[in-house]
Amino acid sequence: MRPGAVALALAALLLPAFAAPPGPLPDRMADTGAGTQLITAVAPDTAATTGTVTWWDRKGDAWVAAGSAPAHFGARGLVAGDRRKQGTDTTPTGLYRLPYAFGIAPPPPGTAYRYRPVRADSWWCQDNGSRAYNRWTEPRPADCAATEAEHLISYGKQYAHALVVGFNYDRPVRGRGAGIFLHVNGEGATAGCVSVPADAMRRILIWADPAARPHLAIGTAHGKTALTRY
């Protein structure tokens, strides 16, 4: 083999070792919601109950991480949002808008998001037979059974601060699931929400700018529910 050909062959073998590192996670996603802010929630696989939440800003042509925190997912892991079933304790993967924030505690100073205070008669209806399915109600309507609804004020730790996740929200499909939030950690895995430490939740609310149209992307590191597919 000629010396030049040997050099080329050696260079070809060495190329993978010098390949450019992958760009920021949002750059590898199929869709980021067309805004300039994004929250990603990534689990190692669909059986995981823990992972990482990162919030990002689009600065010019680049996505820059503004903060990160450990996260909890559903007690039974994650499942594709369009296949999720209510009552399965799974977190739905996908890309979702964030309609508004709420909380038992006052909003952190600097919060720009619309913030709804939790009152004694604040409920989130999960009754498949109710006209208020997957909606905040005050008071709880007669067609929404108390056993099929969350009395929000009862979750003093988790709902101190929270963001509503737009899963199954705009056109609710009965039986798919209701009341999916990004909220403060409880004692461990969730019933299908994404949770983060209290300080991280406060930082997210101060950071979030409704004019930047932030979305929440939930997914796994690899596979059919990989976050990069959304």
Side-chain angles (χ1 to χ4, degrees), residues 94-114:
L95 179 68
Y96 305 108
R97 68 185 188 91
L98 300 164
Y100 61 91
F102 70 92
I104 295 170
T111 299
Y113 238 73
R114 180 165 74 91

PDB file of all heavy atoms in Angstrom, residues 94-114:
ATOM      1  N   GLY A  94     -43.650  13.091  25.943  1.00  0.00           N
ATOM      2  CA  GLY A  94     -44.127  13.965  24.881  1.00  0.00           C
ATOM      3  C   GLY A  94     -43.701  15.400  25.119  1.00  0.00           C
ATOM      4  O   GLY A  94     -42.979  15.708  26.072  1.00  0.00           O
ATOM      5  N   LEU A  95     -44.161  16.286  24.244  1.00  0.00           N
ATOM      6  CA  LEU A  95     -43.875  17.715  24.330  1.00  0.00           C
ATOM      7  C   LEU A  95     -45.175  18.436  24.653  1.00  0.00           C
ATOM      8  O   LEU A  95     -46.150  18.309  23.905  1.00  0.00           O
ATOM      9  CB  LEU A  95     -43.299  18.226  23.009  1.00  0.00           C
ATOM     10  CG  LEU A  95     -42.976  19.719  22.934  1.00  0.00           C
ATOM     11  CD1 LEU A  95     -41.804  20.068  23.845  1.00  0.00           C
ATOM     12  CD2 LEU A  95     -42.671  20.127  21.488  1.00  0.00           C
ATOM     13  N   TYR A  96     -45.191  19.199  25.744  1.00  0.00           N
ATOM     14  CA  TYR A  96     -46.426  19.798  26.229  1.00  0.00           C
ATOM     15  C   TYR A  96     -46.255  21.282  26.562  1.00  0.00           C
ATOM     16  O   TYR A  96     -45.223  21.692  27.102  1.00  0.00           O
ATOM     17  CB  TYR A  96     -46.900  19.063  27.497  1.00  0.00           C
ATOM     18  CG  TYR A  96     -47.051  17.581  27.287  1.00  0.00           C
ATOM     19  CD1 TYR A  96     -46.141  16.681  27.848  1.00  0.00           C
ATOM     20  CD2 TYR A  96     -48.085  17.079  26.502  1.00  0.00           C
ATOM     21  CE1 TYR A  96     -46.265  15.315  27.640  1.00  0.00           C
ATOM     22  CE2 TYR A  96     -48.211  15.711  26.282  1.00  0.00           C
ATOM     23  CZ  TYR A  96     -47.303  14.831  26.854  1.00  0.00           C
ATOM     24  OH  TYR A  96     -47.424  13.491  26.628  1.00  0.00           O
ATOM     25  N   ARG A  97     -47.287  22.036  26.278  1.00  0.00           N
ATOM     26  CA  ARG A  97     -47.282  23.435  26.694  1.00  0.00           C
ATOM     27  C   ARG A  97     -47.589  23.511  28.191  1.00  0.00           C
ATOM     28  O   ARG A  97     -48.010  22.518  28.801  1.00  0.00           O
ATOM     29  CB  ARG A  97     -48.285  24.256  25.879  1.00  0.00           C
ATOM     30  CG  ARG A  97     -49.751  23.945  26.127  1.00  0.00           C
ATOM     31  CD  ARG A  97     -50.637  24.732  25.165  1.00  0.00           C
ATOM     32  NE  ARG A  97     -52.062  24.595  25.517  1.00  0.00           N
ATOM     33  CZ  ARG A  97     -52.707  25.414  26.327  1.00  0.00           C
ATOM     34  NH1 ARG A  97     -52.072  26.449  26.879  1.00  0.00           N
ATOM     35  NH2 ARG A  97     -53.992  25.243  26.600  1.00  0.00           N
ATOM     36  N   LEU A  98     -47.386  24.684  28.759  1.00  0.00           N
ATOM     37  CA  LEU A  98     -47.578  24.894  30.196  1.00  0.00           C
ATOM     38  C   LEU A  98     -48.597  26.018  30.377  1.00  0.00           C
ATOM     39  O   LEU A  98     -48.229  27.197  30.385  1.00  0.00           O
ATOM     40  CB  LEU A  98     -46.229  25.239  30.846  1.00  0.00           C
ATOM     41  CG  LEU A  98     -45.150  24.161  30.692  1.00  0.00           C
ATOM     42  CD1 LEU A  98     -43.777  24.723  31.014  1.00  0.00           C
ATOM     43  CD2 LEU A  98     -45.473  22.965  31.583  1.00  0.00           C
ATOM     44  N   PRO A  99     -49.886  25.680  30.502  1.00  0.00           N
ATOM     45  CA  PRO A  99     -50.941  26.702  30.479  1.00  0.00           C
ATOM     46  C   PRO A  99     -50.840  27.765  31.564  1.00  0.00           C
ATOM     47  O   PRO A  99     -51.022  28.947  31.292  1.00  0.00           O
ATOM     48  CB  PRO A  99     -52.233  25.881  30.629  1.00  0.00           C
ATOM     49  CG  PRO A  99     -51.868  24.518  30.141  1.00  0.00           C
ATOM     50  CD  PRO A  99     -50.433  24.325  30.547  1.00  0.00           C
ATOM     51  N   TYR A 100     -50.601  27.357  32.813  1.00  0.00           N
ATOM     52  CA  TYR A 100     -50.499  28.337  33.894  1.00  0.00           C
ATOM     53  C   TYR A 100     -49.872  27.694  35.123  1.00  0.00           C
ATOM     54  O   TYR A 100     -49.709  26.475  35.203  1.00  0.00           O
ATOM     55  CB  TYR A 100     -51.859  28.954  34.237  1.00  0.00           C
ATOM     56  CG  TYR A 100     -52.922  27.984  34.713  1.00  0.00           C
ATOM     57  CD1 TYR A 100     -53.091  27.688  36.061  1.00  0.00           C
ATOM     58  CD2 TYR A 100     -53.808  27.389  33.794  1.00  0.00           C
ATOM     59  CE1 TYR A 100     -54.084  26.812  36.494  1.00  0.00           C
ATOM     60  CE2 TYR A 100     -54.798  26.522  34.222  1.00  0.00           C
ATOM     61  CZ  TYR A 100     -54.932  26.234  35.572  1.00  0.00           C
ATOM     62  OH  TYR A 100     -55.915  25.363  35.992  1.00  0.00           O
ATOM     63  N   ALA A 101     -49.496  28.541  36.068  1.00  0.00           N
ATOM     64  CA  ALA A 101     -48.902  28.091  37.328  1.00  0.00           C
ATOM     65  C   ALA A 101     -49.942  28.187  38.440  1.00  0.00           C
ATOM     66  O   ALA A 101     -50.941  28.902  38.315  1.00  0.00           O
ATOM     67  CB  ALA A 101     -47.678  28.945  37.668  1.00  0.00           C
ATOM     68  N   PHE A 102     -49.693  27.476  39.531  1.00  0.00           N
ATOM     69  CA  PHE A 102     -50.588  27.581  40.682  1.00  0.00           C
ATOM     70  C   PHE A 102     -49.824  27.218  41.942  1.00  0.00           C
ATOM     71  O   PHE A 102     -48.690  26.727  41.892  1.00  0.00           O
ATOM     72  CB  PHE A 102     -51.826  26.692  40.512  1.00  0.00           C
ATOM     73  CG  PHE A 102     -51.575  25.199  40.589  1.00  0.00           C
ATOM     74  CD1 PHE A 102     -51.676  24.523  41.801  1.00  0.00           C
ATOM     75  CD2 PHE A 102     -51.266  24.477  39.443  1.00  0.00           C
ATOM     76  CE1 PHE A 102     -51.467  23.153  41.866  1.00  0.00           C
ATOM     77  CE2 PHE A 102     -51.050  23.102  39.494  1.00  0.00           C
ATOM     78  CZ  PHE A 102     -51.161  22.447  40.716  1.00  0.00           C
ATOM     79  N   GLY A 103     -50.444  27.452  43.080  1.00  0.00           N
ATOM     80  CA  GLY A 103     -49.787  27.068  44.309  1.00  0.00           C
ATOM     81  C   GLY A 103     -50.550  27.427  45.557  1.00  0.00           C
ATOM     82  O   GLY A 103     -51.393  28.330  45.561  1.00  0.00           O
ATOM     83  N   ILE A 104     -50.260  26.689  46.603  1.00  0.00           N
ATOM     84  CA  ILE A 104     -50.794  26.989  47.932  1.00  0.00           C
ATOM     85  C   ILE A 104     -50.036  28.175  48.518  1.00  0.00           C
ATOM     86  O   ILE A 104     -50.613  29.032  49.183  1.00  0.00           O
ATOM     87  CB  ILE A 104     -50.695  25.748  48.832  1.00  0.00           C
ATOM     88  CG1 ILE A 104     -51.593  24.624  48.281  1.00  0.00           C
ATOM     89  CG2 ILE A 104     -51.081  26.070  50.272  1.00  0.00           C
ATOM     90  CD1 ILE A 104     -51.389  23.277  48.937  1.00  0.00           C
ATOM     91  N   ALA A 105     -48.724  28.214  48.252  1.00  0.00           N
ATOM     92  CA  ALA A 105     -47.904  29.342  48.691  1.00  0.00           C
ATOM     93  C   ALA A 105     -48.004  30.481  47.670  1.00  0.00           C
ATOM     94  O   ALA A 105     -48.338  30.252  46.504  1.00  0.00           O
ATOM     95  CB  ALA A 105     -46.456  28.903  48.843  1.00  0.00           C
ATOM     96  N   PRO A 106     -47.723  31.704  48.078  1.00  0.00           N
ATOM     97  CA  PRO A 106     -47.722  32.823  47.123  1.00  0.00           C
ATOM     98  C   PRO A 106     -46.669  32.596  46.041  1.00  0.00           C
ATOM     99  O   PRO A 106     -45.686  31.874  46.259  1.00  0.00           O
ATOM    100  CB  PRO A 106     -47.371  34.036  47.987  1.00  0.00           C
ATOM    101  CG  PRO A 106     -47.665  33.625  49.386  1.00  0.00           C
ATOM    102  CD  PRO A 106     -47.418  32.147  49.452  1.00  0.00           C
ATOM    103  N   PRO A 107     -46.834  33.205  44.884  1.00  0.00           N
ATOM    104  CA  PRO A 107     -45.824  33.032  43.835  1.00  0.00           C
ATOM    105  C   PRO A 107     -44.491  33.628  44.267  1.00  0.00           C
ATOM    106  O   PRO A 107     -44.458  34.648  44.953  1.00  0.00           O
ATOM    107  CB  PRO A 107     -46.416  33.805  42.650  1.00  0.00           C
ATOM    108  CG  PRO A 107     -47.350  34.792  43.262  1.00  0.00           C
ATOM    109  CD  PRO A 107     -47.920  34.098  44.465  1.00  0.00           C
ATOM    110  N   PRO A 108     -43.394  33.018  43.882  1.00  0.00           N
ATOM    111  CA  PRO A 108     -42.088  33.595  44.204  1.00  0.00           C
ATOM    112  C   PRO A 108     -41.965  34.994  43.589  1.00  0.00           C
ATOM    113  O   PRO A 108     -42.456  35.224  42.482  1.00  0.00           O
ATOM    114  CB  PRO A 108     -41.095  32.619  43.552  1.00  0.00           C
ATOM    115  CG  PRO A 108     -41.846  31.345  43.403  1.00  0.00           C
ATOM    116  CD  PRO A 108     -43.264  31.734  43.155  1.00  0.00           C
ATOM    117  N   PRO A 109     -41.348  35.925  44.283  1.00  0.00           N
ATOM    118  CA  PRO A 109     -41.166  37.264  43.718  1.00  0.00           C
ATOM    119  C   PRO A 109     -40.476  37.199  42.357  1.00  0.00           C
ATOM    120  O   PRO A 109     -39.485  36.495  42.194  1.00  0.00           O
ATOM    121  CB  PRO A 109     -40.280  37.965  44.751  1.00  0.00           C
ATOM    122  CG  PRO A 109     -40.556  37.238  46.035  1.00  0.00           C
ATOM    123  CD  PRO A 109     -40.785  35.812  45.643  1.00  0.00           C
ATOM    124  N   GLY A 110     -41.048  37.889  41.386  1.00  0.00           N
ATOM    125  CA  GLY A 110     -40.500  37.866  40.036  1.00  0.00           C
ATOM    126  C   GLY A 110     -41.226  36.929  39.101  1.00  0.00           C
ATOM    127  O   GLY A 110     -40.937  36.888  37.902  1.00  0.00           O
ATOM    128  N   THR A 111     -42.201  36.168  39.612  1.00  0.00           N
ATOM    129  CA  THR A 111     -42.969  35.249  38.761  1.00  0.00           C
ATOM    130  C   THR A 111     -43.795  36.038  37.754  1.00  0.00           C
ATOM    131  O   THR A 111     -44.591  36.904  38.131  1.00  0.00           O
ATOM    132  CB  THR A 111     -43.897  34.361  39.606  1.00  0.00           C
ATOM    133  OG1 THR A 111     -43.101  33.576  40.507  1.00  0.00           O
ATOM    134  CG2 THR A 111     -44.727  33.436  38.731  1.00  0.00           C
ATOM    135  N   ALA A 112     -43.623  35.741  36.457  1.00  0.00           N
ATOM    136  CA  ALA A 112     -44.382  36.417  35.397  1.00  0.00           C
ATOM    137  C   ALA A 112     -45.547  35.567  34.902  1.00  0.00           C
ATOM    138  O   ALA A 112     -46.482  36.091  34.303  1.00  0.00           O
ATOM    139  CB  ALA A 112     -43.454  36.760  34.232  1.00  0.00           C
ATOM    140  N   TYR A 113     -45.501  34.273  35.147  1.00  0.00           N
ATOM    141  CA  TYR A 113     -46.549  33.374  34.682  1.00  0.00           C
ATOM    142  C   TYR A 113     -47.860  33.648  35.407  1.00  0.00           C
ATOM    143  O   TYR A 113     -47.863  34.029  36.586  1.00  0.00           O
ATOM    144  CB  TYR A 113     -46.130  31.926  34.942  1.00  0.00           C
ATOM    145  CG  TYR A 113     -46.096  31.078  33.699  1.00  0.00           C
ATOM    146  CD1 TYR A 113     -45.085  31.225  32.756  1.00  0.00           C
ATOM    147  CD2 TYR A 113     -47.071  30.124  33.454  1.00  0.00           C
ATOM    148  CE1 TYR A 113     -45.046  30.442  31.618  1.00  0.00           C
ATOM    149  CE2 TYR A 113     -47.044  29.332  32.321  1.00  0.00           C
ATOM    150  CZ  TYR A 113     -46.023  29.505  31.398  1.00  0.00           C
ATOM    151  OH  TYR A 113     -45.990  28.739  30.261  1.00  0.00           O
ATOM    152  N   ARG A 114     -48.965  33.454  34.709  1.00  0.00           N
ATOM    153  CA  ARG A 114     -50.267  33.554  35.381  1.00  0.00           C
ATOM    154  C   ARG A 114     -50.288  32.527  36.508  1.00  0.00           C
ATOM    155  O   ARG A 114     -50.030  31.341  36.281  1.00  0.00           O
ATOM    156  CB  ARG A 114     -51.400  33.283  34.395  1.00  0.00           C
ATOM    157  CG  ARG A 114     -52.787  33.378  35.018  1.00  0.00           C
ATOM    158  CD  ARG A 114     -53.856  33.459  33.952  1.00  0.00           C
ATOM    159  NE  ARG A 114     -54.094  32.200  33.276  1.00  0.00           N
ATOM    160  CZ  ARG A 114     -54.995  31.296  33.646  1.00  0.00           C
ATOM    161  NH1 ARG A 114     -55.736  31.507  34.723  1.00  0.00           N
ATOM    162  NH2 ARG A 114     -55.163  30.183  32.950  1.00  0.00           N
TER     163      ARG A 114
END
